[in-house]
Amino acid sequence: MKNIELEIFSDETYIFNKKYVGIGCLFVPKDNKLNLVNKLKSSRCLNNENPDYWIAKQDNCKMFKNGSCKKQYHKYNDCEIHYNGFRKGMSYSQKEITNRWIDILLDKNRQRKETEKIYFNILYLDMEKLDTSFFGEDKTGNNVYNRFYKTTILGPLKSFFGKNSNITIKEIFHDISDDKRTHEYFTWHTPVKLNDEKRIKVNKELITFIDSDHKNYKPLDPNFINSHYIQFIDLILGSISYAIFKESNDKEKMQLYEKYYPLIKRLWNHPNNPNSSFNYYKSQQVSIFPKEKVTYQMDIYGNKIRNKGKFHRDIKLIQPKYTTINHELKEYFN
């Protein structure tokens, strides 16, 4: 029986004026954590002489000491990566680093090593098909989010890592959110409920809220690394949201979409294909809930019972305009 230790990083997004609520969770096994974050950090160095080198503190950077990197360049490259910030007028650093992070995702998906896998689950809630009154008196949707946040985590724990594995969750992180941090249930509900599951243990029974901007933490603070993972799931969540809903006509977003379309096309249309060259099976998942408006019935005691809804992927992905990137033809068919 396998013993797996991991951390979870999560973020949210709202689409079409909260018609859809997106929940994104990134599952990072302990043995993979430094490998991936070092890739993300190293991609910040845009110096052509040494593109795989990055030190947060500029005075310790070899590129700065030998004169090949200027102070202002280092500062620009130390930017927060945020999908909503990827648009016309962004800095060169934001554009280049964002593209590199998408490249990292695609590259690791092409590899078949367990240690290189990137695990994530994204769930979109169709709020117009859910009766929020069934989830309590809160009208903001936070109770609905709380309920399905656990679903977004629990399903992948079993399907990604095996029902018979012993899973230890060291900590669950969420991008800082005042309404969630002050919510009556959110901070403790999911960790406590997960601890009731067989073969799942959560060490910290409170969700940790952290700022996605790594510059708000000192380099030796663990949250300096953790905040990079919040940025990464933000980018993944935002990128996939664009593919499904296309809220913006921004040319920059479309050009980025062209890059990752070969992955999302397969993940969306053929989620259970174990032979895909992108190796997402049992490691990455995207879905919408519910397929149809959820109905209710009354039990013999007069209690309202929600009928089970279905997850779906019925929305057709937008087609990218192949104008800027020359993909190999096989990328669209494997």
Side-chain angles (χ1 to χ4, degrees), residues 4 25 43 87 162 227 237 246 303 327:
I4 298 170
C25 291
S43 65
R87 59 181 183 270
S227 59
L237 177 59
K246 197 191 176 187
N303 297 317
H327 293 284

Side-chain angles (χ1 to χ4, degrees), residues 13-270:
T13 189
Y14 297 97
I15 301 154
F16 298 143
N17 196 27
K18 297 192 176 181
K19 180 185 185 304
Y20 291 95
V21 176
I23 307 172
C25 291
L26 183 69
F27 303 80
V28 182
K30 176 185 176 182
D31 295 340
N32 302 19
K33 186 175 183 180
L34 286 181
N35 174 283
L36 177 54
V37 81
N38 284 339
K39 281 279 187 183
L40 297 175
K41 290 194 301 178
S42 293
S43 65
R44 292 184 175 279
C45 183
L46 305 184
N47 191 298
N48 291 328
E49 295 179 23
N50 198 339
D52 295 323
Y53 184 87
W54 174 260
I55 294 292
K57 192 173 181 180
Q58 185 179 17
D59 292 343
N60 296 333
C61 176
K62 293 179 180 178
M63 298 297 102
F64 177 67
K65 290 180 177 179
N66 67 20
S68 61
C69 179
K70 297 181 179 180
K71 186 175 182 179
Q72 62 268 34
Y73 296 160
H74 195 93
K75 182 179 179 180
Y76 294 152
N77 296 346
D78 202 22
C79 58
E80 179 183 4
I81 299 303
H82 194 291
Y83 183 78
N84 284 340
F86 191 87
R87 59 181 183 270
K88 183 179 179 180
M90 65 184 155
S91 70
Y92 172 78
S93 295
Q94 287 175 305
K95 181 176 181 178
E96 183 64 21
I97 296 167
T98 298
N99 272 277
R100 287 186 176 194
W101 282 21
I102 292 294
D103 286 337
I104 290 171
L105 173 63
L106 297 175
D107 179 64
K108 287 188 174 292
N109 268 59
R110 286 294 197 184
Q111 301 183 43
R112 293 190 175 274
K113 298 178 182 177
E114 286 292 319
T115 55
E116 298 295 330
K117 278 190 173 182
I118 294 176
Y119 300 89
F120 65 77
N121 184 30
I122 293 176
L123 174 62
Y124 297 99
L125 303 176
D126 188 339
M127 300 300 288
E128 292 184 351
K129 294 179 181 177
L130 290 171
D131 183 354
T132 57
S133 67
F134 188 77
F135 297 88
E137 297 180 357
D138 176 36
K139 304 301 181 183
T140 65
N142 281 326
N143 284 353
V144 180
Y145 186 92
N146 180 59
R147 164 64 180 81
F148 286 98
Y149 184 71
K150 187 191 79 169
T151 301
T152 311
I153 291 176
L154 181 58
L157 288 178
K158 294 180 178 180
S159 61
F160 290 176
F161 303 104
K163 294 181 179 179
N164 296 321
S165 298
N166 290 319
I167 300 173
T168 299
I169 302 171
K170 291 180 59 181
E171 199 165 354
I172 301 174
F173 298 90
H174 196 288
D175 191 14
I176 198 164
S177 169
D178 289 338
D179 60 341
K180 306 241 175 344
R181 186 167 49 182
T182 57
H183 189 267
E184 184 178 2
Y185 306 112
F186 184 75
T187 56
W188 60 266
H189 180 262
T190 292
V192 169
K193 289 298 183 180
L194 289 174
N195 263 335
D196 291 337
E197 298 286 333
K198 289 183 180 180
R199 300 192 178 92
I200 296 177
K201 178 185 177 183
V202 184
N203 287 346
K204 186 175 180 180
E205 289 195 336
L206 286 176
I207 292 173
T208 300
F209 292 90
I210 60 173
D211 197 319
S212 58
D213 191 348
H214 59 283
K215 296 189 296 297
N216 289 327
Y217 302 100
K218 294 182 179 180
L220 296 180
D221 187 328
N223 282 335
F224 179 84
I225 288 177
N226 295 332
S227 59
H228 274 80
Y229 279 114
I230 295 293
Q231 292 176 57
F232 194 42
I233 187 59
D234 173 279
L235 176 59
I236 294 171
L237 177 59
S239 298
I240 292 177
S241 298
Y242 179 87
I244 300 170
F245 303 106
K246 197 191 176 187
E247 277 196 290
S248 168
N249 291 316
D250 186 88
K251 180 181 177 181
E252 301 290 351
K253 283 182 167 60
M254 177 57 77
Q255 290 178 353
L256 184 68
Y257 177 45
E258 291 176 10
K259 176 171 286 191
Y260 62 84
Y261 175 71
L263 167 60
I264 183 58
K265 175 186 175 183
R266 291 161 181 75
L267 182 56
W268 187 250
N269 294 328
H270 306 286

